[in-house]
Amino acid sequence: MTNSVLKLPEEALKRLISHYQNKEIKTKNPHARFAAKLPDAMITVYTSGKVMFQGAGAERETAKWGAADSIKEKTASAKGDQLPPDFANRSVLGSDETGTGDFFGPITVAACFVPAHQVELAKELGVKDSKQLTDDYMRKIAPDLKAAFTYSVLTLDNEKYNQVQAQGWSQGKIKALLHNQALKHVLRKMAPEKPEAILIDQFAERGIYYRHIAQESDIIRENVLFSTKAENLHVSVACASIIARVAFLEEMDRLSTVAGVSLPKGAGAIVDEAAAKILLSRGEAFLKSITKAHFANTKKAQALAAKKKRT
């Protein structure tokens, strides 16, 4: 879905509202002063002076009001379910994960609920796409997010990860189970209140996701939406992403202390070198206890270690 945003002066806003008056609809968004719905576009005027145009006709309608001194923004394209109009300002429970591509360390999954009236608070606390934030910055703001919002964070340590992976579980199944569990925890904490929607940062098609968790006794299905780049679509997913990332970093800190070296992130050549050194100094069992052992890094580290032994 294409979103366009214009920042307009008050006189222009009045003309815009008058133009769409016969298409006006009611909105529960406390930050909106006017909303209108066209066959292929949704227009929302915010108290800040910004106007959001959403839908297939967004660019056409934006062009009617764009001015040289206006600010125009577009959200990154995403794949997945079609989201309702004004979704970014609704009460949403979001979930995300991290650590899946890192040889060292766990997988962490977090879910976080941000009600409509606290969307702006999340932004004031510094929330945006975690890929745009440094690890140090996320460590700094995560305590404020945890204090402000209802959340759950799960950490799957390496020992348990290696155990279930050896049993034939894919990363997709592991992530699906963790997402479902984190969402259950938050829904239980916030009951009897319910979110308007649940948004999962998509890593699998809907059918595959639910096949992964088909044997679970309690499966979250109501109002669940899936989208890639979900952290750009609602701050709840961005909050979850930050909380999950900091949980991952904290476990990496602990493992680094146990290993006696600072463990690198990712799965590149620097990781192979670090793993080889640990293999030589602490042995294969210890290396397995702090890694995702089925990654190709294990064999690369073994080859590097064997080479070092010969020299």
Side-chain angles (χ1 to χ4, degrees):
M1 178 174 66
T2 299
N3 290 357
S4 295
V5 178
L6 291 178
K7 175 78 171 179
L8 298 176
E10 181 61 26
E11 286 304 311
L13 290 174
K14 289 179 179 178
R15 291 196 302 273
L16 182 147
I17 291 171
S18 176
H19 179 80
Y20 294 112
Q21 197 74 55
N22 64 338
K23 302 292 185 182
E24 183 178 8
I25 60 172
K26 291 183 179 180
T27 175
K28 294 181 180 180
N29 186 338
H31 302 288
R33 60 185 277 192
F34 175 83
K37 186 174 178 62
L38 280 61
D40 62 352
M42 174 78 181
I43 298 97
T44 306
V45 179
Y46 293 94
T47 54
S48 64
K50 288 186 177 182
V51 185
M52 177 175 283
F53 301 83
Q54 298 171 292
E59 290 193 11
R60 181 195 66 240
E61 296 303 313
T62 303
K64 295 178 180 179
W65 306 98
D69 58 351
S70 295
I71 301 171
K72 186 176 180 181
E73 305 166 339
K74 288 187 180 179
T75 60
S77 61
K79 296 180 180 179
D81 292 325
Q82 181 73 32
L83 303 184
D86 200 25
F87 184 82
N89 293 292
R90 296 192 177 199
S91 297
V92 175
L93 169 56
S95 64
D96 201 0
E97 82 285 329
T98 194
T100 57
D102 294 270
F103 180 55
F104 290 109
I107 288 179
T108 56
V109 173
C112 183
F113 174 61
V114 179
H117 71 277
Q118 288 187 307
V119 167
E120 291 305 315
L121 171 61
K123 294 176 182 177
E124 289 174 14
L125 292 174
V127 175
K128 53 185 175 180
D129 179 1
S130 64
K131 296 178 182 63
Q132 301 175 25
L133 305 177
T134 65
D135 286 346
D136 286 344
Y137 185 81
M138 286 188 280
R139 287 181 190 266
K140 182 179 178 181
I141 68 173
D144 292 334
L145 302 183
K146 291 179 180 179
F149 306 116
T150 305
Y151 76 95
S152 174
V153 60
L154 304 175
T155 299
L156 182 68
D157 65 33
N158 293 101
E159 182 178 1
K160 184 64 175 178
Y161 175 91
N162 289 329
Q163 178 185 335
V164 297
Q165 193 278 327
Q167 293 172 1
W169 289 21
S170 66
Q171 273 205 359
K173 181 178 179 67
I174 291 169
K175 289 187 287 186
L177 289 165
L178 291 172
H179 274 264
N180 189 63
Q181 189 74 11
L183 293 171
K184 283 194 297 185
H185 289 172
V186 176
L187 288 170
R188 185 174 64 246
K189 290 178 183 179
M190 59 185 284
E193 183 179 9
K194 288 187 176 182
E196 292 181 66
I198 294 171
L199 181 61
I200 298 175
D201 191 51
Q202 187 170 358
F203 55 87
E205 295 295 329
R206 177 184 295 274
I208 295 173
Y209 174 89
Y210 282 112
R211 280 202 296 275
H212 283 321
I213 60 175
Q215 301 305 312
E216 291 294 284
S217 59
D218 188 4
I219 299 173
I220 305 304
R221 296 180 183 273
E222 186 178 0
N223 297 325
V224 173
L225 299 169
F226 296 84
S227 182
T228 60
K229 302 183 180 178
E231 65 278 1
N232 293 322
L233 303 175
H234 199 279
V235 292
S236 63
V237 181
C239 286
S241 180
I242 291 166
I243 292 170
R245 180 64 178 176
V246 171
F248 171 79
L249 294 172
E250 290 173 347
E251 178 63 5
M252 285 288 279
D253 290 343
R254 187 189 72 80
L255 293 176
S256 293
T257 300
V258 172
V261 296
S262 180
L263 300 176
K265 304 174 189 69
I270 190 173
V271 171
D272 299 336
E273 289 286 348
K277 290 178 182 178
I278 292 170
L279 190 57
L280 289 169
S281 62
R282 303 291 294 272
E284 192 169 320
F286 178 78
L287 179 65
K288 182 177 181 180
S289 73
I290 61 173
T291 64
K292 300 175 182 71
H294 67 105
F295 276 29
N297 302 86
T298 296
K299 290 186 177 180
K300 291 178 182 178
Q302 290 169 343
L304 285 171
K307 185 177 180 180
K308 289 178 185 294
K309 282 182 178 179
R310 292 195 298 268
T311 59

